[in-house]
Amino acid sequence: MNDFTLEKWQAAYIDDFLKSTDDPHLSDNLCETLPYPMDAAFAMEYIRERMFNSEERQSCRAVVVDGHAIGGVDVIFGSGVFGKGAELSIWLAKQYRGQGIGSKVIKRMCEDIFANYDIIRIESHPYSNHIAAAMALRSAGFKHEGTVHSAIFKNNTSYDYEIFAILKNK
């Protein structure tokens, strides 16, 4: 497996994004709404939002292997009483899943967030039936904290989600 880097999104990654997100299972397993099939207008807006983000309230990176974006990882910072916390989401192109890349991306991103921002807790909320996401989070050091039932409604179906979290000094 080639090593990866976490890089700011660039317009040059548009073709990689379109290719990587051409997967109905990706759209089905993310809480974020990714259309399937993916369209170029949505893809460009997704990348543009991440390119011009000030990084005061979020940190978004492309997962890059051999110069190509093969996924993305976003950490959105909380506000108010949740201001010391953040939520992480990650996706990878189909051909890169199941190789341990996801847990390494999660771990590296969390290390960066804890080192560079005043954040003490990062959590993630995969669907309960998304076993691979739970495995990647556990492998990256996240602890399971509970299940939230029937909290997501997507494609005319309600879903449970899990709460996983990692603390800065634990």
Side-chain angles (χ1 to χ4, degrees):
M1 196 303 300
N2 294 327
D3 200 23
F4 65 89
T5 57
L6 298 178
E7 300 179 11
K8 291 267 302 176
W9 280 96
Q10 304 171 25
Y13 293 143
I14 185 76
D15 290 337
D16 295 336
F17 182 88
L18 287 165
K19 182 178 177 185
S20 295
T21 57
D22 186 29
D23 176 5
H25 299 292
L26 181 63
S27 177
D28 289 345
N29 284 311
L30 289 179
C31 292
E32 183 175 355
T33 303
L34 286 181
Y36 180 81
M38 179 57 66
D39 68 62
F42 180 94
M44 197 62 233
E45 184 59 27
Y46 178 97
I47 292 172
R48 185 177 291 120
E49 284 177 5
R50 284 151 179 80
M51 284 173 50
F52 298 111
N53 151 36
S54 70
E55 302 210 350
E56 290 178 26
R57 302 302 320 147
Q58 61 186 3
S59 181
C60 304
R61 296 289 181 263
V63 180
V64 179
V65 172
D66 294 332
H68 294 280
I70 59 105
V73 58
D74 294 349
V75 177
I76 310 301
F77 307 136
S79 61
V81 297
F82 299 104
K84 298 283 187 185
E87 182 178 351
L88 178 141
S89 62
I90 179 174
W91 62 271
L92 294 173
K94 187 176 187 174
Q95 65 269 32
Y96 292 94
R97 296 179 207 147
Q99 300 175 34
I101 299 170
S103 59
K104 292 175 186 171
V105 167
I106 294 165
K107 187 172 183 166
R108 193 178 297 172
M109 188 68 165
C110 289
E111 288 169 353
D112 179 66
I113 296 299
F114 287 142
N116 295 299
Y117 296 92
D118 189 19
I119 298 294
I120 62 170
R121 173 189 172 85
I122 301 172
E123 57 185 63
S124 189
H125 307 125
Y127 289 176
S128 295
N129 63 351
H130 197 333
I131 305 304
M135 289 174 54
L137 288 162
R138 282 191 174 100
S139 181
F142 279 64
K143 305 292 183 221
H144 183 255
E145 293 185 336
T147 302
V148 181
H149 298 282
S150 298
I152 297 170
F153 192 75
K154 184 175 177 181
N155 300 329
N156 296 318
T157 304
S158 67
Y159 296 92
D160 299 345
Y161 72 84
E162 304 302 316
I163 301 172
F164 284 87
I166 190 167
L167 302 177
K168 181 175 185 175
N169 296 318
K170 297 281 179 171

